[in-house]
Amino acid sequence: DDMSSGSDSDYAKYWIDWFLETKGNEYYCEIDEEYILDRFNLTGLNVEVQQYYAEALDMITDNLEEERFDEKARDQIERAARHLYGLIHARFVITTRGLAKMLDKYKKAEFGRCPRVLCNLQPLLPVGLSDVPVTKTVKLYCPRCEDIYNPKSSRHASIDGAYFGTSFPHMLFQAHPNYMPTKSTDRYEPRIFGFKIHQIAEQHRWQDRAREEYLKKANEKKEQNATDLV
């Protein structure tokens, strides 16, 4: 009765709150209910979630009459709801509202920090390597060294990268350029007893190439001699 007497805003958050509080879902932001309830924003997602699409959407918005379904069907609807939320999330995070919410998480370093020492604990952002679901898991992008890393947590490492998309971190800095960090120009220089080893390494590579060339010519000469004898 309490749910039916409240506004959409009051009850549409219950499933989402539970989902976001589940361990391993810390990368996700809360999608505005207005965005979910606008069917235009969901165009084409019924193709991606072919089974129980309507029921999954009802579950996300707390409109599902769960007593109508047995336990097996509810589990399937639950999985479909998780997948559908992820697909909607990929679209939402590149909107003005979505970027603002993810920026707040970025400023708090909720996605972790770059493991590269010379990036000085630069906060990371989630990124997908593919926009096609069930293709690549999510990675973490460092805007300072412009490289990507695997999440430390196995729970985070199993999240579908398509739930964030390939464009999200780059669109965030397009919309909020003030938060783009200075590019890292520092590079680690290998040294032996304080001396750079680049020249030594180059000399070794030159010696290896010279040796390979010598052996190649020696083998060709042997083959030619063998041919002449025949």
Side-chain angles (χ1 to χ4, degrees):
D1 293 339
D2 291 339
M3 286 179 63
S4 61
S5 62
S7 66
D8 286 346
S9 178
D10 290 327
Y11 64 79
K13 294 181 179 178
Y14 290 129
W15 185 91
I16 295 176
D17 284 344
W18 168 82
F19 176 78
L20 295 176
E21 290 168 4
T22 301
K23 199 166 184 178
N25 290 344
E26 292 83 2
Y27 287 0
Y28 297 96
C29 72
E30 181 181 350
I31 304 173
D32 291 344
E33 69 159 311
E34 293 83 3
Y35 188 87
I36 298 174
L37 295 175
D38 185 344
R39 297 304 172 96
F40 176 78
N41 297 324
L42 313 184
T43 302
L45 293 185
N46 60 321
V47 177
E48 296 289 342
V49 185
Q50 295 184 2
Q51 188 176 22
Y52 291 121
Y53 170 79
E55 291 80 2
L57 186 58
D58 284 342
M59 177 171 279
I60 291 173
T61 56
D62 289 300
N63 289 316
L64 182 68
E65 298 177 11
E66 295 191 27
E67 61 276 4
R68 292 176 46 219
F69 304 93
D70 59 27
E71 184 177 351
K72 182 179 179 181
R74 285 198 297 269
D75 287 343
Q76 291 176 331
I77 294 170
E78 176 65 43
R79 284 196 294 271
R82 288 170 174 264
H83 184 45
L84 179 58
Y85 188 88
L87 296 173
I88 300 171
H89 187 268
R91 296 183 176 187
F92 178 69
V93 294
I94 56 175
T95 65
T96 301
R97 281 283 296 157
L99 289 170
K101 289 190 174 189
M102 294 296 273
L103 179 63
D104 286 339
K105 295 170 75 67
Y106 168 72
K107 289 190 288 187
K108 298 173 186 175
E110 292 186 13
F111 307 113
R113 298 181 183 274
C114 184
R116 182 175 179 269
V117 173
L118 296 177
C119 281
N120 299 311
L121 301 178
Q122 168 65 40
L124 300 168
L125 285 166
V127 66
L129 299 182
S130 173
D131 292 312
V132 179
V134 198
T135 303
K136 298 283 186 179
T137 54
V138 70
K139 305 301 176 187
L140 295 172
Y141 169 74
C142 174
R144 190 177 295 276
C145 67
E146 298 186 319
D147 211 340
I148 57 173
Y149 301 90
N150 288 314
K152 290 183 178 180
S153 167
S154 59
R155 287 189 177 92
H156 296 151
S158 63
I159 297 173
D160 197 320
Y163 296 164
F164 298 87
T166 58
S167 304
F168 157 65
H170 318 299
M171 289 193 67
L172 186 144
F173 291 120
Q174 288 286 323
H176 303 279
N178 292 340
Y179 289 93
M180 171 68 82
T182 304
K183 300 302 179 189
S184 175
T185 57
D186 295 332
R187 292 291 181 269
Y188 172 71
E189 294 183 347
R191 293 175 181 269
I192 296 178
F193 300 123
F195 296 97
K196 295 181 183 179
I197 65 170
H198 295 79
Q199 293 180 347
I200 297 174
E202 180 60 32
Q203 182 180 1
H204 288 170
R205 286 193 289 270
W206 178 85
Q207 289 173 340
D208 290 340
R209 288 196 298 269
R211 186 180 298 109
E212 289 174 3
E213 190 66 24
Y214 170 79
L215 291 173
K216 181 180 178 182
K217 289 182 178 180
N219 288 333
E220 289 176 352
K221 188 174 182 180
K222 285 182 181 179
E223 291 175 0
Q224 185 61 44
N225 290 339
T227 304
D228 293 341
L229 289 173
V230 173

PDB file of all heavy atoms in Angstrom, residues 23-39:
ATOM      1  N   LYS A  23      27.780  -5.875  -3.729  1.00  0.00           N
ATOM      2  CA  LYS A  23      29.232  -5.843  -3.848  1.00  0.00           C
ATOM      3  C   LYS A  23      29.652  -6.192  -5.268  1.00  0.00           C
ATOM      4  O   LYS A  23      29.183  -7.166  -5.853  1.00  0.00           O
ATOM      5  CB  LYS A  23      29.861  -6.836  -2.859  1.00  0.00           C
ATOM      6  CG  LYS A  23      31.321  -6.566  -2.579  1.00  0.00           C
ATOM      7  CD  LYS A  23      31.804  -7.344  -1.373  1.00  0.00           C
ATOM      8  CE  LYS A  23      33.240  -6.979  -1.051  1.00  0.00           C
ATOM      9  NZ  LYS A  23      33.735  -7.688   0.153  1.00  0.00           N
ATOM     10  N   GLY A  24      30.533  -5.384  -5.822  1.00  0.00           N
ATOM     11  CA  GLY A  24      30.999  -5.593  -7.188  1.00  0.00           C
ATOM     12  C   GLY A  24      30.373  -4.636  -8.184  1.00  0.00           C
ATOM     13  O   GLY A  24      30.827  -4.537  -9.324  1.00  0.00           O
ATOM     14  N   ASN A  25      29.317  -3.913  -7.753  1.00  0.00           N
ATOM     15  CA  ASN A  25      28.628  -2.994  -8.658  1.00  0.00           C
ATOM     16  C   ASN A  25      28.995  -1.533  -8.396  1.00  0.00           C
ATOM     17  O   ASN A  25      28.265  -0.622  -8.787  1.00  0.00           O
ATOM     18  CB  ASN A  25      27.113  -3.170  -8.541  1.00  0.00           C
ATOM     19  CG  ASN A  25      26.651  -4.492  -9.114  1.00  0.00           C
ATOM     20  OD1 ASN A  25      27.384  -5.146  -9.854  1.00  0.00           O
ATOM     21  ND2 ASN A  25      25.446  -4.903  -8.769  1.00  0.00           N
ATOM     22  N   GLU A  26      30.135  -1.316  -7.748  1.00  0.00           N
ATOM     23  CA  GLU A  26      30.522   0.044  -7.358  1.00  0.00           C
ATOM     24  C   GLU A  26      30.819   0.961  -8.544  1.00  0.00           C
ATOM     25  O   GLU A  26      30.780   2.184  -8.399  1.00  0.00           O
ATOM     26  CB  GLU A  26      31.749  -0.004  -6.444  1.00  0.00           C
ATOM     27  CG  GLU A  26      31.509  -0.620  -5.082  1.00  0.00           C
ATOM     28  CD  GLU A  26      31.583  -2.137  -5.078  1.00  0.00           C
ATOM     29  OE1 GLU A  26      31.857  -2.740  -6.157  1.00  0.00           O
ATOM     30  OE2 GLU A  26      31.373  -2.733  -3.999  1.00  0.00           O
ATOM     31  N   TYR A  27      31.135   0.401  -9.699  1.00  0.00           N
ATOM     32  CA  TYR A  27      31.460   1.228 -10.861  1.00  0.00           C
ATOM     33  C   TYR A  27      30.233   1.920 -11.444  1.00  0.00           C
ATOM     34  O   TYR A  27      30.341   2.952 -12.095  1.00  0.00           O
ATOM     35  CB  TYR A  27      32.104   0.388 -11.965  1.00  0.00           C
ATOM     36  CG  TYR A  27      33.534  -0.044 -11.705  1.00  0.00           C
ATOM     37  CD1 TYR A  27      34.205   0.307 -10.537  1.00  0.00           C
ATOM     38  CD2 TYR A  27      34.221  -0.814 -12.652  1.00  0.00           C
ATOM     39  CE1 TYR A  27      35.501  -0.102 -10.311  1.00  0.00           C
ATOM     40  CE2 TYR A  27      35.531  -1.214 -12.428  1.00  0.00           C
ATOM     41  CZ  TYR A  27      36.169  -0.871 -11.260  1.00  0.00           C
ATOM     42  OH  TYR A  27      37.462  -1.286 -11.048  1.00  0.00           O
ATOM     43  N   TYR A  28      29.053   1.324 -11.238  1.00  0.00           N
ATOM     44  CA  TYR A  28      27.839   1.877 -11.822  1.00  0.00           C
ATOM     45  C   TYR A  28      27.389   3.137 -11.081  1.00  0.00           C
ATOM     46  O   TYR A  28      27.599   3.272  -9.881  1.00  0.00           O
ATOM     47  CB  TYR A  28      26.700   0.864 -11.752  1.00  0.00           C
ATOM     48  CG  TYR A  28      26.909  -0.401 -12.528  1.00  0.00           C
ATOM     49  CD1 TYR A  28      27.402  -1.546 -11.910  1.00  0.00           C
ATOM     50  CD2 TYR A  28      26.587  -0.472 -13.882  1.00  0.00           C
ATOM     51  CE1 TYR A  28      27.577  -2.727 -12.617  1.00  0.00           C
ATOM     52  CE2 TYR A  28      26.751  -1.647 -14.596  1.00  0.00           C
ATOM     53  CZ  TYR A  28      27.250  -2.775 -13.958  1.00  0.00           C
ATOM     54  OH  TYR A  28      27.430  -3.936 -14.657  1.00  0.00           O
ATOM     55  N   CYS A  29      26.735   4.036 -11.801  1.00  0.00           N
ATOM     56  CA  CYS A  29      26.070   5.173 -11.153  1.00  0.00           C
ATOM     57  C   CYS A  29      24.570   4.916 -11.184  1.00  0.00           C
ATOM     58  O   CYS A  29      24.091   4.020 -11.880  1.00  0.00           O
ATOM     59  CB  CYS A  29      26.421   6.483 -11.860  1.00  0.00           C
ATOM     60  SG  CYS A  29      25.648   6.698 -13.481  1.00  0.00           S
ATOM     61  N   GLU A  30      23.841   5.704 -10.427  1.00  0.00           N
ATOM     62  CA  GLU A  30      22.386   5.571 -10.398  1.00  0.00           C
ATOM     63  C   GLU A  30      21.790   6.269 -11.615  1.00  0.00           C
ATOM     64  O   GLU A  30      22.016   7.458 -11.845  1.00  0.00           O
ATOM     65  CB  GLU A  30      21.821   6.191  -9.120  1.00  0.00           C
ATOM     66  CG  GLU A  30      20.309   6.072  -9.025  1.00  0.00           C
ATOM     67  CD  GLU A  30      19.743   6.709  -7.769  1.00  0.00           C
ATOM     68  OE1 GLU A  30      20.551   7.070  -6.880  1.00  0.00           O
ATOM     69  OE2 GLU A  30      18.511   6.877  -7.682  1.00  0.00           O
ATOM     70  N   ILE A  31      21.036   5.515 -12.399  1.00  0.00           N
ATOM     71  CA  ILE A  31      20.389   6.082 -13.584  1.00  0.00           C
ATOM     72  C   ILE A  31      19.120   6.804 -13.137  1.00  0.00           C
ATOM     73  O   ILE A  31      18.314   6.260 -12.378  1.00  0.00           O
ATOM     74  CB  ILE A  31      20.025   4.985 -14.594  1.00  0.00           C
ATOM     75  CG1 ILE A  31      21.267   4.174 -14.982  1.00  0.00           C
ATOM     76  CG2 ILE A  31      19.368   5.587 -15.833  1.00  0.00           C
ATOM     77  CD1 ILE A  31      20.961   2.970 -15.851  1.00  0.00           C
ATOM     78  N   ASP A  32      18.939   8.018 -13.601  1.00  0.00           N
ATOM     79  CA  ASP A  32      17.737   8.770 -13.261  1.00  0.00           C
ATOM     80  C   ASP A  32      16.493   8.022 -13.734  1.00  0.00           C
ATOM     81  O   ASP A  32      16.449   7.506 -14.862  1.00  0.00           O
ATOM     82  CB  ASP A  32      17.759  10.156 -13.928  1.00  0.00           C
ATOM     83  CG  ASP A  32      18.832  11.057 -13.336  1.00  0.00           C
ATOM     84  OD1 ASP A  32      19.333  10.741 -12.235  1.00  0.00           O
ATOM     85  OD2 ASP A  32      19.167  12.071 -13.989  1.00  0.00           O
ATOM     86  N   GLU A  33      15.494   7.968 -12.866  1.00  0.00           N
ATOM     87  CA  GLU A  33      14.273   7.235 -13.225  1.00  0.00           C
ATOM     88  C   GLU A  33      13.583   7.835 -14.442  1.00  0.00           C
ATOM     89  O   GLU A  33      13.011   7.116 -15.252  1.00  0.00           O
ATOM     90  CB  GLU A  33      13.304   7.187 -12.050  1.00  0.00           C
ATOM     91  CG  GLU A  33      12.698   8.525 -11.703  1.00  0.00           C
ATOM     92  CD  GLU A  33      11.412   8.371 -10.910  1.00  0.00           C
ATOM     93  OE1 GLU A  33      10.554   7.582 -11.327  1.00  0.00           O
ATOM     94  OE2 GLU A  33      11.292   9.070  -9.905  1.00  0.00           O
ATOM     95  N   GLU A  34      13.672   9.170 -14.594  1.00  0.00           N
ATOM     96  CA  GLU A  34      13.057   9.804 -15.756  1.00  0.00           C
ATOM     97  C   GLU A  34      13.665   9.274 -17.043  1.00  0.00           C
ATOM     98  O   GLU A  34      12.968   9.132 -18.057  1.00  0.00           O
ATOM     99  CB  GLU A  34      13.226  11.329 -15.692  1.00  0.00           C
ATOM    100  CG  GLU A  34      12.459  12.005 -14.571  1.00  0.00           C
ATOM    101  CD  GLU A  34      13.196  11.963 -13.237  1.00  0.00           C
ATOM    102  OE1 GLU A  34      14.341  11.437 -13.217  1.00  0.00           O
ATOM    103  OE2 GLU A  34      12.658  12.445 -12.229  1.00  0.00           O
ATOM    104  N   TYR A  35      14.953   8.987 -16.993  1.00  0.00           N
ATOM    105  CA  TYR A  35      15.632   8.465 -18.176  1.00  0.00           C
ATOM    106  C   TYR A  35      15.132   7.061 -18.505  1.00  0.00           C
ATOM    107  O   TYR A  35      14.895   6.730 -19.675  1.00  0.00           O
ATOM    108  CB  TYR A  35      17.146   8.441 -17.930  1.00  0.00           C
ATOM    109  CG  TYR A  35      17.957   8.101 -19.161  1.00  0.00           C
ATOM    110  CD1 TYR A  35      18.354   9.093 -20.051  1.00  0.00           C
ATOM    111  CD2 TYR A  35      18.312   6.784 -19.442  1.00  0.00           C
ATOM    112  CE1 TYR A  35      19.085   8.783 -21.189  1.00  0.00           C
ATOM    113  CE2 TYR A  35      19.050   6.457 -20.576  1.00  0.00           C
ATOM    114  CZ  TYR A  35      19.432   7.467 -21.440  1.00  0.00           C
ATOM    115  OH  TYR A  35      20.149   7.150 -22.563  1.00  0.00           O
ATOM    116  N   ILE A  36      14.952   6.242 -17.472  1.00  0.00           N
ATOM    117  CA  ILE A  36      14.488   4.869 -17.690  1.00  0.00           C
ATOM    118  C   ILE A  36      13.042   4.852 -18.171  1.00  0.00           C
ATOM    119  O   ILE A  36      12.668   4.056 -19.044  1.00  0.00           O
ATOM    120  CB  ILE A  36      14.622   4.045 -16.392  1.00  0.00           C
ATOM    121  CG1 ILE A  36      16.096   3.960 -15.972  1.00  0.00           C
ATOM    122  CG2 ILE A  36      14.055   2.646 -16.572  1.00  0.00           C
ATOM    123  CD1 ILE A  36      16.326   3.284 -14.635  1.00  0.00           C
ATOM    124  N   LEU A  37      12.225   5.719 -17.619  1.00  0.00           N
ATOM    125  CA  LEU A  37      10.801   5.721 -17.955  1.00  0.00           C
ATOM    126  C   LEU A  37      10.519   6.325 -19.329  1.00  0.00           C
ATOM    127  O   LEU A  37       9.420   6.149 -19.867  1.00  0.00           O
ATOM    128  CB  LEU A  37      10.010   6.479 -16.880  1.00  0.00           C
ATOM    129  CG  LEU A  37      10.026   5.830 -15.490  1.00  0.00           C
ATOM    130  CD1 LEU A  37       9.332   6.725 -14.474  1.00  0.00           C
ATOM    131  CD2 LEU A  37       9.396   4.448 -15.526  1.00  0.00           C
ATOM    132  N   ASP A  38      11.494   7.017 -19.902  1.00  0.00           N
ATOM    133  CA  ASP A  38      11.337   7.554 -21.258  1.00  0.00           C
ATOM    134  C   ASP A  38      11.710   6.449 -22.245  1.00  0.00           C
ATOM    135  O   ASP A  38      12.888   6.147 -22.449  1.00  0.00           O
ATOM    136  CB  ASP A  38      12.243   8.777 -21.444  1.00  0.00           C
ATOM    137  CG  ASP A  38      12.048   9.454 -22.798  1.00  0.00           C
ATOM    138  OD1 ASP A  38      11.460   8.826 -23.704  1.00  0.00           O
ATOM    139  OD2 ASP A  38      12.509  10.599 -22.965  1.00  0.00           O
ATOM    140  N   ARG A  39      10.730   5.844 -22.844  1.00  0.00           N
ATOM    141  CA  ARG A  39      10.957   4.672 -23.708  1.00  0.00           C
ATOM    142  C   ARG A  39      11.835   4.999 -24.917  1.00  0.00           C
ATOM    143  O   ARG A  39      12.450   4.101 -25.497  1.00  0.00           O
ATOM    144  CB  ARG A  39       9.617   4.087 -24.164  1.00  0.00           C
ATOM    145  CG  ARG A  39       8.759   3.555 -23.027  1.00  0.00           C
ATOM    146  CD  ARG A  39       9.502   2.519 -22.199  1.00  0.00           C
ATOM    147  NE  ARG A  39       8.770   2.130 -21.001  1.00  0.00           N
ATOM    148  CZ  ARG A  39       7.982   1.069 -20.905  1.00  0.00           C
ATOM    149  NH1 ARG A  39       7.792   0.292 -21.964  1.00  0.00           N
ATOM    150  NH2 ARG A  39       7.375   0.792 -19.775  1.00  0.00           N
TER     151      ARG A  39
END
